[in-house]
Amino acid sequence: DIGSGPYDYLQIDAAVNRGNSGGPSFDLDGKVIGMNTAIFSPSGGNVGIAFAVPAVLVKQVVSELQSHGSVDRGWLGVVIQNVSDDIADSIGLPEAKGAMVTKVAEDGPAAKQDVKAGDVIVEVNGDKIDDSRDLARKIAELHPNTDVKLAIVRYGKEHQVNMKLGTFPSGKKLAALEDDKPADSGSEQLDNLGLSLAPAVKVPGAGEDGVVITDVDPNSDAADKGLKAGDIILQVAGETVSQPGDVAKGVKKAMDNANDKDKVNVLVQVKTGDQTRFIALSLKKAKV
């Protein structure tokens, strides 16, 4: 996975330099096994790490281009992430499998169905989903307007969603990420998460949705998992939040529902810039 499309790439050690992209990759018998696509390089030149599109995929793409003039892939209209062990524990999944929805595109196919941020897609047409990469591949292999049946787990309860795939967008407009750190304005501490919080509406530049993190305890699980001042909490334990008190209620809900009271994970949806993700935060144990 090199972060370019839903398909896997071959890692090769051929000397691929600028201008070689698009050329063939051969094996020792002279057979074409792929098409040079990208390199990893701190300097911009060859360091022996390159990537090629597998030949079998090249054949498929060329065939579609010859027949239709374009390559159309199926599209759910969701942004997804992997399910960690902590996340699985926080929502009642027996194992860390499936793909968690972090965002639903407003104009996408999933927005017209019962699919929400925080849902975990565990099956497509009866085939189990291992992780987000697996889901992306399975959907991309299907054509637009294909009917699919999704098995979705929402906080421990599974249900089915029948829907029709859309067409994968030809391009994406990436919003510029703002790095401005909001000022601490009327923040409240939530010690068991290691966070200080404030309503987003009270923090300049934060917008109106959610609760802004104004400070993070460097010794907390939140710090270990990359949360920082300026991040915005949108959901806690499946509930939308707008006040620090809402976060505290979500924490209490997670504690009440936890099977193991000594290990409580709270599922939190966090927005950083224009990107959203889910994180399972471990509560601090009370000092005795």
Side-chain angles (χ1 to χ4, degrees):
D1 178 9
I2 64 172
S4 178
Y7 300 106
D8 290 330
Y9 293 79
L10 300 174
Q11 182 176 329
I12 59 177
D13 61 1
V16 177
N17 289 293
R18 294 180 182 272
N20 291 61
S21 294
S25 295
F26 299 95
D27 65 12
L28 294 180
D29 295 322
K31 296 178 180 178
V32 176
I33 59 170
M35 183 178 71
N36 302 333
T37 302
I39 63 172
F40 170 77
S41 173
S43 63
N46 172 60
V47 294
I49 302 175
F51 302 94
V53 176
V56 65
L57 178 56
V58 175
K59 287 183 178 180
Q60 176 187 331
V61 169
V62 169
S63 176
E64 290 190 37
L65 289 174
Q66 289 175 328
S67 302
H68 311 293
S70 63
V71 179
D72 294 327
R73 303 197 300 256
W75 184 50
L76 279 177
V78 296
V79 180
I80 52 179
Q81 71 175 64
N82 288 335
V83 178
S84 67
D85 290 333
D86 286 346
I87 288 177
D89 179 70
S90 69
I91 61 176
L93 272 178
E95 56 182 346
K97 296 284 188 179
M100 172 168 272
V101 176
T102 63
K103 185 177 181 180
V104 179
E106 292 183 3
D107 57 346
K112 303 170 186 177
Q113 306 296 330
D114 185 20
V115 180
K116 300 179 180 179
D119 288 349
V120 178
I121 300 173
V122 294
E123 289 184 7
V124 173
N125 293 334
D127 293 332
K128 293 188 180 300
I129 300 298
D130 289 329
D131 52 27
S132 60
R133 189 77 180 159
D134 188 25
L135 175 63
R137 277 195 298 262
K138 282 184 169 60
I139 295 300
E141 290 169 356
L142 300 173
H143 292 288
N145 297 316
T146 300
D147 292 322
V148 295
K149 180 182 292 185
L150 307 178
I152 291 177
V153 174
R154 181 177 297 165
Y155 291 93
K157 297 181 179 179
E158 184 172 325
H159 68 281
Q160 303 288 327
V161 173
N162 297 317
M163 62 181 293
K164 190 181 295 290
L165 295 180
T167 302
F168 194 87
S170 58
K172 294 182 180 180
K173 295 181 180 180
L174 300 178
L177 301 181
E178 294 187 2
D179 295 325
D180 294 336
K181 184 176 178 179
D184 188 339
S185 175
S187 64
E188 296 181 27
Q189 289 188 343
L190 201 63
D191 291 336
N192 52 3
L193 285 180
L195 300 173
S196 293
L197 308 170
V201 292
K202 292 186 179 180
V203 179
E208 298 182 354
D209 296 328
V211 177
V212 177
I213 298 174
T214 57
D215 191 34
V216 180
D217 181 350
N219 297 317
S220 66
D221 187 49
D224 291 341
K225 292 180 177 173
L227 292 186
K228 60 185 184 300
D231 289 346
I232 299 174
I233 297 176
L234 300 175
Q235 279 188 22
V236 177
E239 301 293 337
T240 301
V241 297
S242 59
Q243 300 288 333
D246 297 336
V247 178
K249 291 178 182 177
V251 171
K252 184 178 185 304
K253 175 182 175 181
M255 294 177 67
D256 291 342
N257 293 337
N259 294 322
D260 183 357
K261 301 301 181 182
D262 292 328
K263 181 186 177 184
V264 179
N265 290 313
V266 184
L267 188 67
V268 177
Q269 185 185 26
V270 180
K271 181 178 180 182
T272 303
D274 197 44
Q275 304 297 315
T276 60
R277 67 192 190 280
F278 281 89
I279 299 173
L281 296 179
S282 298
L283 294 182
K284 285 184 176 181
K285 290 184 178 181
K287 295 180 179 179
V288 292

